[in-house]
Amino acid sequence: MNRVKNIQRLINLSCVNKRSGDPNIKLSSLFYSISEDDAVDRNSDIIQAVITEPKYVLCFLIVPYRGQYGSYCKEELVAFTDKEGNALSKITLSKWEVLNLQLTSSDYLKSLTISRGSDVQVVLDFQNLPRLTVVSDFWKLVKEIDASCETAREAHAYLDYYLDKKKLNDAERSILDFQEQLSKQANVLEQYQSLILQFQKIVDSCNINIQNSNYPLK
């Protein structure tokens, strides 16, 4: 499959560049597939990343680093790729273009660079914000900005709106989850009470049978 070969070639080239500074560095690849229905999936295997024929595959390397407080890993962008596995310099939407995506680790967004023509470029910084992920938030946020914003100021303002909306949705989901848990507990309690009643009926029935028996109790 040409798509797999082309993506693997990009990964291999990036690995060679990384290992030029440290031949013993341990690298692994990671892929985010964006499907035709705009769902985003995370995979560590190329075949799994392309099996559903997504419109884009975002290719990353997981790169280890040593910091002041120990070792850590970063997910570094190798390339945006199209349906043929060819590298894209940008992902073009209706009005905006995605130029770059930086992650910290474990799917969390660090920064997102988008542009609208040659005059408007926006860097959205997520480092000091509530955590957003590639799978849950990246493409949804980009699509909403593309549909709603015309200027850099509007894009920045929309990020604040998106965070507020997400917080509200999370709170509503928490309430629904809590209500569901209460409902499950109520059902369990109801079943438990029903079992007690059935057990009591069995005990009462046994007592009646014993009383009607001709055999004396010992």
Side-chain angles (χ1 to χ4, degrees), residues 32-158:
Y32 294 93
S33 304
I34 303 175
S35 63
E36 294 292 344
D37 63 358
D38 293 328
V40 181
D41 293 311
R42 186 176 190 258
N43 291 286
S44 58
D45 180 79
I46 298 180
I47 302 297
Q48 293 300 316
V50 304
I51 197 169
T52 58
E53 299 184 357
K55 54 186 174 183
Y56 303 113
V57 175
L58 283 54
C59 307
F60 286 80
L61 279 184
I62 301 177
V63 184
Y65 288 94
R66 290 183 179 178
Q68 182 178 356
Y69 302 105
S71 300
Y72 65 97
C73 291
K74 289 173 60 179
E75 297 177 9
E76 299 186 0
L77 180 67
V78 174
F80 303 134
T81 64
D82 61 15
K83 284 193 170 184
E84 300 300 321
N86 299 316
L88 300 170
S89 60
K90 58 191 176 184
I91 295 178
T92 302
L93 303 173
S94 298
K95 295 181 292 188
W96 292 81
E97 299 167 336
V98 181
L99 302 181
N100 193 23
L101 177 63
Q102 291 187 339
L103 310 182
T104 52
S105 62
S106 301
D107 185 30
Y108 292 118
L109 298 176
K110 180 180 179 182
S111 69
L112 169 64
T113 305
I114 56 177
S115 70
R116 191 165 187 267
S118 57
D119 298 329
V120 180
Q121 182 167 311
V122 180
V123 179
L124 300 177
D125 188 347
F126 304 98
Q127 291 188 89
N128 297 317
L129 300 176
R131 286 184 167 184
L132 300 180
T133 69
V134 180
V135 171
S136 300
D137 302 292
F138 157 68
W139 194 242
K140 186 187 299 183
L141 175 60
V142 167
K143 294 281 286 186
E144 290 183 15
I145 288 176
D146 186 60
S148 306
C149 303
E150 303 289 340
T151 66
R153 179 178 293 182
E154 288 178 358
H156 282 288
Y158 196 90

Side-chain angles (χ1 to χ4, degrees), residues 137-190:
D137 302 292
F138 157 68
W139 194 242
K140 186 187 299 183
L141 175 60
V142 167
K143 294 281 286 186
E144 290 183 15
I145 288 176
D146 186 60
S148 306
C149 303
E150 303 289 340
T151 66
R153 179 178 293 182
E154 288 178 358
H156 282 288
Y158 196 90
L159 174 58
D160 293 334
Y161 165 74
Y162 181 88
L163 291 171
D164 288 341
K165 182 176 65 168
K166 181 178 174 65
K167 189 184 299 182
L168 179 60
N169 289 339
D170 289 345
E172 290 177 348
R173 191 178 302 114
S174 296
I175 291 172
L176 290 174
D177 289 345
F178 178 66
Q179 290 174 338
E180 184 179 353
Q181 290 298 320
L182 286 179
S183 177
K184 288 180 179 178
Q185 290 178 13
N187 289 336
V188 170
L189 180 59
E190 188 176 315

